Amino acid sequence: MMVDHEADDPALPLYEVIYRVLRRHIDEGALPDGLVIGETALARAFQSSRIPAGAALKRLEDEGRVTRFGGRGLLIGADPEATPLRRDLVEAGLKLPETRMLEPRTRNRRATLYPEVEHIVACCLPYGRFQLNESLLADYYRVSRTVAHEVMTALDRAGLIFQDSNQRWYAGPLTPALMHEHFEMRWLLEPLALEQAWPGLNPRDLAAKRERILAVQSGRRTAARLERLEHDLHVDTVLRCANRQLRDAIHRSQLPLIAMHDTFPILPDAEEMLAEHLAVFDCLIGRDPEGAQKALERHLRRSLGPNMERLATRERLAPLRPMPFLIAVD
């Protein structure tokens, strides 16, 4: 039985778990080419809503692991002319991580729900100001008002939402001043976190991350592949530091970057980004942590300008997927 230990991590958002499980199954041939896979069946298998299932499928489509065809859903593989195979996913070979199979009994519902809602709220920030309705959130996810309130409170602590004098919750807008403050926090704190993480970094893992950068430089630059590189550096490397308070502070200031990636999926400054990421990993592999810190700070300072420009160009925003608990405010 194939077990995906990388995805069996309670700290991962559900959309990331679904994506990693499917990617592993597809790459290892555990699911047959031509198998039809859709949001509804995937959500049912992982006991989730369709939002994380759809996000996982979009990344796989961007990477060419699944493809659209004339019917409903997507086909596994890159051939849209393949004969569609419609089978139950588990019967077709899908193996769920142990944590996810036991999740309804072993994990706190707020803890599993929060990362998904955090991602949705972060992605709405460039579009303006939104009111979050606690009752609608509870109804949408079929949870109690207590769980919905706990999620709102956690979003408030993360700095994503705030309450007005009438006890209503609001998110956004992401302003240029806020964007600048978040990036300033990042270029001050991420190099420090990288210094702390350095002794525990695995040379083979660093080499694999470097190879992924080179592969994107010479190949397709899809949103999913660029997002993977961002995760490699700013999350999977920088946030390996032991100081939890430092990790939390950095995560809060990284959230606007998540939003910008979703609203502007193909970055116009991708060439600079790739070169800067490569410089950081070259220093780490060369056992020069101080050089890596300086390269990371230069990258973050340089990245502020393009992100500010994207924020100012609102007419180029991708369509925002409507959510019933997010109400646009003029």
Side-chain angles (χ1 to χ4, degrees):
M1 174 179 174
M2 178 183 65
V3 179
D4 192 340
H5 294 292
E6 181 186 20
D8 192 24
D9 180 352
L12 286 175
L14 185 50
Y15 64 86
E16 182 71 20
V17 171
I18 297 173
Y19 163 74
R20 292 188 186 195
V21 169
L22 289 178
R23 182 185 68 193
R24 178 72 62 84
H25 278 65
I26 294 170
D27 289 352
E28 295 187 358
L31 293 175
D33 283 354
L35 180 67
V36 178
I37 189 166
E39 288 184 11
T40 301
L42 198 55
R44 186 184 306 115
F46 283 86
Q47 302 179 42
S48 75
S49 72
R50 292 176 60 181
I51 299 296
L57 287 175
K58 182 178 183 302
R59 288 182 66 179
L60 293 168
E61 183 183 7
D62 287 342
E63 295 171 352
R65 288 182 166 92
V66 299
T67 188
R68 297 191 179 277
F69 69 114
R72 188 172 182 178
L74 297 100
L75 295 180
I76 288 181
D79 182 9
E81 302 300 323
T83 301
L85 175 63
R86 297 188 181 275
R87 293 177 58 191
D88 178 87
L89 296 181
V90 174
E91 292 179 358
L94 177 65
K95 305 293 184 184
L96 300 175
E98 293 298 326
T99 298
R100 290 292 162 181
M101 290 195 298
L102 299 174
E103 180 176 284
R105 296 188 294 274
T106 62
R107 298 190 67 196
N108 178 274
R109 185 65 176 117
R110 184 199 65 79
T112 60
L113 178 61
Y114 175 79
E116 179 180 332
V117 179
E118 180 191 69
H119 181 80
I120 290 169
V121 173
C123 291
C124 84
L125 298 179
Y127 294 84
R129 188 166 179 249
F130 292 81
Q131 181 183 349
L132 279 78
N133 186 290
E134 194 172 286
S135 297
L136 294 177
L137 177 68
D139 291 344
Y140 183 78
Y141 286 105
R142 298 179 182 178
V143 297
S144 68
R145 285 288 300 273
T146 299
V147 170
H149 182 73
E150 290 174 349
V151 170
M152 294 291 204
T153 302
L155 291 169
D156 182 33
R157 286 198 299 268
L160 275 177
I161 66 174
F162 60 92
Q163 262 186 324
D164 67 2
S165 57
N166 294 318
Q167 304 301 302
R168 289 174 294 203
W169 296 102
Y170 290 94
L174 179 62
T175 64
L178 280 174
M179 175 69 79
H180 189 282
E181 289 178 2
H182 283 303
F183 267 89
E184 187 173 30
M185 287 288 289
R186 293 185 63 197
W187 71 57
L188 290 172
L189 296 181
E190 287 197 31
L192 176 60
L194 182 60
E195 179 185 27
Q196 291 189 6
W198 156 249
L201 298 179
N202 184 305
R204 292 180 62 184
D205 183 56
L206 294 174
K209 289 178 169 60
R210 184 181 186 276
E211 287 302 313
R212 280 197 286 271
I213 298 171
L214 295 177
V216 174
Q217 281 185 321
S218 60
R220 293 176 61 217
R221 297 182 184 178
T222 65
R225 298 184 80 188
L226 291 171
E227 184 180 352
R228 174 71 185 275
L229 299 185
E230 289 285 271
H231 189 279
D232 278 351
L233 175 58
H234 298 291
V235 178
D236 198 40
T237 302
V238 169
L239 295 189
R240 286 186 179 270
C241 66
N243 187 321
R244 180 177 177 179
Q245 300 302 317
L246 182 58
R247 293 200 308 268
D248 288 347
I250 292 172
H251 175 68
R252 285 194 296 270
S253 287
Q254 286 178 342
L255 289 173
L257 183 60
I258 295 173
M260 299 310 289
H261 280 184
D262 269 49
T263 54
F264 294 91
I266 303 300
L267 306 178
D269 61 327
E271 193 70 41
E272 293 92 334
M273 169 200 146
L274 293 170
E276 290 161 357
H277 280 221
L278 191 62
V280 175
F281 283 106
D282 280 344
C283 288
L284 292 173
I285 292 169
R287 306 192 65 78
D288 179 15
E290 184 177 345
Q293 288 178 265
K294 292 178 180 177
L296 177 59
E297 180 180 346
R298 285 195 298 270
H299 164 58
L300 290 168
R301 286 181 178 272
R302 199 275 314 161
S303 297
L304 173 62
N307 277 278
M308 295 281 271
E309 292 175 10
R310 286 192 284 274
L311 184 62
T313 316
R314 295 185 184 274
E315 66 270 15
R316 290 167 52 193
L317 291 173
L320 178 64
R321 185 168 187 172
M323 300 298 296
F325 55 85
L326 279 176
I327 303 164
V329 179
D330 292 333

